[in-house]
Each structure stands twice: as C-alpha cells, then as structure tokens.
Amino acid sequence: MAHPRDAEAPLLAKPDAVSSPPAPVKRNKYPFFCAVLASMTSVLMGYNVAVMSGAQIFMAEDLGITDAQIEVLSGVINIYSLVGALLAGWTSDRLGRRLTIVLANAFFLAGPLAMALAGGYTTLMVGRFVAGVGNGYALVIAPVYAAEIAPASSRGLLTSLPEIFINSGVMLSYVSNLAFSGLPVHLSWRVMFAAGAVPTVFLAAGVLTMPESPRWLAMKGRVAEAKAVLDKTSDTAVEAEQRLLEIEDVVNAGASGGGAWTELATKAGVRRVLAIVLTLQFFQQSSGIDSVVLYGPRVLAMAGVTSNTLLLSLNVLFGVAKAGSILIAMSLADRSGRRPLLLASTGGMAASLLVLGTLFAAFAGARDDATVAAASFAAVVAFVVAFSVGLGPLAWVYSSEILPLRLRGQGAGLGTAMNRIMSGVVTMTFISLYQGITMAGAFYLYAAVAAASFVFVYVCLPETRGRSLEDMEELFHTK
C-alpha cells in the first residue's frame, strides 16, 4: 500500500532519475546518545563486581578475611543481583525504563559506601547485597532500553553498549586497584570501593533528561508521546510511522492475549525463545569468564608471577583487552551479523582455554619462569578477547531483541537471573574447583563448556541482523 507521504512526491521525474540509486539514509545519532547515557550505569556494575579482584589482597591483610570468605564475597554479588534482575521487569513495566535506571544508580551509591565503611565481614556482605541489587537492575534495563530506543539499522551497535560499559567499569576497577595499592593497607581497599559511588548522582540526573522508551509509552496508551519519541529516534519519518504501527500491533495483540505465564504454557514459539535466552546466558557465564575477571591476579600468580605490582599491572592489561575488543563486536554486529561473531567467539574461547589448561598441566608449579608466565598471560588475553568480540556482548543483544515486547521485561529478567546464577556459581567455586581438580582441570572444564556453546549457536540460533523487533515475532512464531 502506498504511503500518504508519496502523494507529496513530484508527479513527473526526469527519465534518468528513475534508474539512479536512492540516496543513502543518514543515520540518526540521537538514539546513540540516549543509549550511551542509559548504558553508563553499566560502568558502575562492572566496577562493583571486579573491584574485588585487587581489593581482596588488601582486605585479607587488613581484616583477616579468609580464602573461603573472599570466594563468597567475590561471587555472592552475582547471586544478590537476582533480586534486582527479577524485580526489574515488574519495576520497568510500571515505573518506566528511565526511573528504573535511576533506581539502579541509588543502589550503586549506597552499596559501595557501605563496603568502604565496613569494619568486618557482616557489613561487607550487606554492602555487596545492596550493590548486587543495583547490578541486577542495570543488567536488565540498560539493554532493554537500548533495544527499544534504537532503529533497526543500529540496534546491534546500541544494544552492545551496556556490555562495553560493563567492561569499561571492569577496566577502571583494575586501574583503581593499581592506583590505590600504594595507600596504607587499611585505607587502600576502602578507597577502591568508595570511588565507585562518586559518579552515581550525576548519572541519575543525566538519565532524567532522556526520553522514555516509545514501546513502554505505547504499552501505557500514551501513543502521542511514543510517536514524538519515535520521530526523534528513527532514521526517517516514514520509519517512525512504521515503527509506531508495528508497536501498536504488538501491544494490541498482547492486550488481547493472556499473561506472560499463560503464553509460556500455551505457545511453543514463546517457550523456544525463552529457552534460547536462558541457554545463551547459561553458556555466557559457565565458560568461566568471571573466574578470570575476579581471580586474574591469582591465576597469574599460579602461573609463576610473584610481584603484586606486576600482577595488578597485568590485570589492567586484561581490562584494556577486554574492553577494547568489545569495539570489534560493536562495529561488526550490524555488518557481519550475530551468528558469525558468536561462532568465532565460542570457537576462540574453547581453543584459548585448552591452551591455558595445557600450560598449567605441563608446567605446574613453575615459579619466576618468564616464558611460562608470558604464554599463560597471552592465553588469558586471547580468551577474554574471544569472549568480548562475540558471546559477551551478543548474548545480551540477541536475548533482548528476540523477546516479544509484551514479555520483554519478564523475559530479560529471567535471562539475567540465569546469567547471575551461573556467574555466582563460577566465582564462588573457582578456588575450591582448582584446589580440587587442579588449575589445568578447571580450564579444561571451561573449554568443554565453550565448545558446547559453539554447537548450540551453530544448531539453534538463526540470524537476526537487520530485522525489526516486531519482525522477530514472525521469525520465532511468538505472535
């Protein structure tokens, strides 16, 4: 059917104009700035999780924290984040996406301050709980907002932003570990935690200047406001009108159907999508990435590096490699597609973990062996780079875009819950795992999981590049 705007076109055109190619559409930069601002909350999430990597060295010395307590403190924040993740869908559907991001910042203010002022293990656990709730909110709402604000032409880029900001936060936490390591022991780790609370007030204020998600506005019946946001965030006026029609179709279909759990019980397509989301999030974390994020210095110490300063410096390089390689995923997600990046990523992860496990098996117990230490460092860097160019960011991209609108909040919450459970299991068992089956055995186990994730991507995940969010309902039969 012809669009009404076609009537405004000239009735006659020059003959040679008929065959000339259409002018390229200029991409709208406004949704990029909105997604950046929303995703910056993820910096705090990455910082609060990974700051334990270096802080644990000084906490153990200052407060007498044991290895078992460090293992729990490092990983329990991921379990605590389940509270925020499971509440995020309900909160964001009622308060809106923007206010949910503001709420996450409030938790990120209170949690790190409690940690910085802690006098013992109990208060440390309280601080990790509060920060963990903020983590759960941030993990769910940042990619959901980015996916809902973005036009199809740049959705892969914009929904990758939370992951690059998480990794930027990880990198900043490593820099903080190194920068404050020279302070007296009783101050160093406290300053490391307190530094994470500083940006929260400014970020919360900035988020309030963003537009609300057009899909949330349409769900609430505020169609005129949704149309105004779409006009500002689409590449063309025609696209804005088309997006609004698609959103209204999905909202009306959702209003006439049952609830989320009714659809899960009655629609095979919905069950398939949820199974994909849960499995993808399971593989993202069970392949062991957070063991490297939180225990990088310990892994390198087992590989023969003995200097604390060198350990923390190499940890910063981990962070740089991890954050920098996300840019590759961001630049290729909307060009090469999701599947090629995910396959290259999971294959590279399996190979690098196999090499790392072999190094530990062949040279276990080596101390001050520069060659073994350098090779182990290179294998770890290869692993984090492979993870960050594909499975790291694209698990969130793929999950957020295949969920139907009416179930996106709840579905993203369940996917995030799976992600955090597996992250908590991995980080809270890593020390016990390598003590039980050796460091080589631990990395061989992670390599097997990465290989299984390659098979899952190859067999089960169709390409989604360039499709509108509403078109996903046709692809996965979730209408």
Side-chain angles (χ1 to χ4, degrees):
M1 180 181 294
H3 195 279
R5 291 183 183 274
D6 293 343
E8 299 174 7
L11 296 178
L12 296 175
K14 295 179 181 180
D16 60 341
V18 175
S19 58
S20 58
V25 176
K26 185 177 181 180
R27 287 192 178 183
N28 187 353
K29 294 183 173 59
Y30 182 66
F32 174 79
F33 292 115
C34 294
V36 165
L37 191 54
S39 301
M40 286 185 71
T41 301
S42 302
V43 173
L44 303 175
M45 182 259 171
Y47 186 96
N48 280 286
V49 168
V51 72
M52 275 293 297
S53 179
Q56 61 183 262
I57 300 171
F58 308 100
M59 293 168 66
E61 185 176 347
D62 183 31
L63 300 180
I65 303 295
T66 66
D67 268 358
Q69 290 173 325
I70 285 173
E71 198 173 41
V72 172
L73 282 171
S74 296
V76 77
I77 191 171
N78 299 303
I79 303 300
Y80 289 153
S81 68
L82 291 174
V83 177
L86 294 174
L87 288 175
W90 181 88
T91 305
S92 65
D93 284 347
R94 282 155 182 78
L95 300 183
R97 309 326 192 199
R98 288 191 312 166
L99 289 181
T100 303
I101 297 173
V102 173
L103 182 61
N105 277 276
F107 283 108
F108 284 137
L109 174 65
L113 288 180
M115 293 284 289
L117 298 173
Y121 183 70
T122 301
T123 312
L124 289 171
M125 286 290 284
V126 171
R128 290 301 262 181
F129 172 77
V130 176
V133 174
N135 281 3
Y137 272 109
L139 277 167
V140 172
I141 196 59
V144 166
Y145 179 87
E148 293 183 346
I149 205 75
S153 63
S154 57
R155 192 176 60 248
L157 168 67
L158 299 190
T159 49
S160 294
L161 288 174
E163 184 69 14
I164 192 170
F165 281 118
I166 288 172
N167 283 278
S168 298
V170 170
M171 181 182 66
L172 289 173
S173 74
Y174 293 161
V175 172
S176 173
N177 291 155
L178 181 61
F180 299 124
S181 62
L183 294 175
V185 171
H186 69 284
L187 286 178
S188 57
W189 64 272
R190 297 180 188 277
V191 176
M192 293 173 192
F193 283 110
V198 174
T200 55
V201 176
F202 302 102
L203 284 179
V207 166
L208 292 175
T209 67
M210 304 182 324
E212 183 53 86
S213 157
R215 289 176 172 81
W216 183 83
L217 292 170
M219 286 172 63
K220 297 301 179 181
R222 295 157 62 176
V223 178
E225 293 175 65
K227 176 64 166 61
V229 175
L230 288 168
D231 286 338
K232 295 172 67 176
T233 59
S234 299
D235 290 330
T236 65
V238 173
E239 182 191 20
E241 294 181 14
Q242 182 61 34
R243 288 173 69 188
L244 181 61
L245 289 174
E246 292 175 342
I247 290 170
E248 288 184 304
D249 285 345
V250 174
V251 170
N252 292 335
S256 63
W261 300 111
T262 301
E263 290 204 44
L264 182 60
T266 59
K267 291 189 177 180
V270 173
R271 291 196 297 272
R272 178 195 174 198
V273 163
L274 187 59
I276 288 173
V277 169
L278 293 176
T279 306
L280 198 55
Q281 297 293 353
F282 169 86
F283 279 129
Q284 195 214 49
Q285 287 299 323
S286 60
S287 54
I289 186 63
D290 277 355
S291 292
V292 173
V293 169
L294 285 171
Y295 299 105
R298 190 179 289 252
V299 171
L300 291 179
M302 295 283 286
V305 180
T306 56
S307 164
N308 278 347
T309 301
L310 181 57
L311 287 173
L312 294 177
S313 299
L314 292 175
N315 219 31
V316 172
L317 293 180
F318 284 164
V320 171
K322 195 169 187 295
S325 53
I326 296 283
L327 296 172
I328 300 173
M330 291 177 64
S331 64
L332 294 179
D334 289 315
R335 299 179 186 178
S336 301
R338 283 46 158 167
R339 270 177 60 88
L341 285 176
L342 284 168
L343 291 171
S345 172
T346 51
M349 289 164 59
S352 55
L353 286 167
L354 187 62
V355 170
L356 186 58
T358 301
L359 286 169
F360 275 106
F363 303 102
R367 305 295 293 173
D368 293 320
D369 188 321
T371 302
V372 173
S376 300
F377 175 74
V380 173
V381 169
F383 171 57
V384 299
V385 168
F387 176 86
S388 298
V389 298
L391 190 58
L394 293 183
W396 300 107
V397 171
Y398 204 94
S399 296
S400 64
E401 66 187 3
I402 67 174
L403 286 164
L405 169 63
R406 62 197 177 277
L407 307 176
R408 191 166 297 138
Q410 299 94 324
L414 290 172
T416 302
M418 172 62 79
N419 184 282
R420 294 298 86 194
I421 287 172
M422 293 313 303
S423 178
V425 169
V426 167
T427 52
M428 293 175 69
T429 60
F430 179 67
I431 295 175
S432 302
L433 181 66
Y434 79 71
Q435 289 176 347
I437 64 173
T438 74
M439 192 70 82
F443 285 116
Y444 283 146
L445 177 61
Y446 295 149
V449 174
S453 67
F454 176 93
V455 174
F456 169 72
V457 171
Y458 185 81
V459 172
C460 299
L461 301 193
E463 183 57 68
T464 58
R465 176 175 64 94
R467 294 179 179 268
S468 71
L469 292 179
E470 285 65 42
D471 188 33
M472 299 292 182
E473 301 215 22
E474 295 287 351
L475 179 63
F476 289 95
H477 308 292
T478 55
K479 278 196 172 183

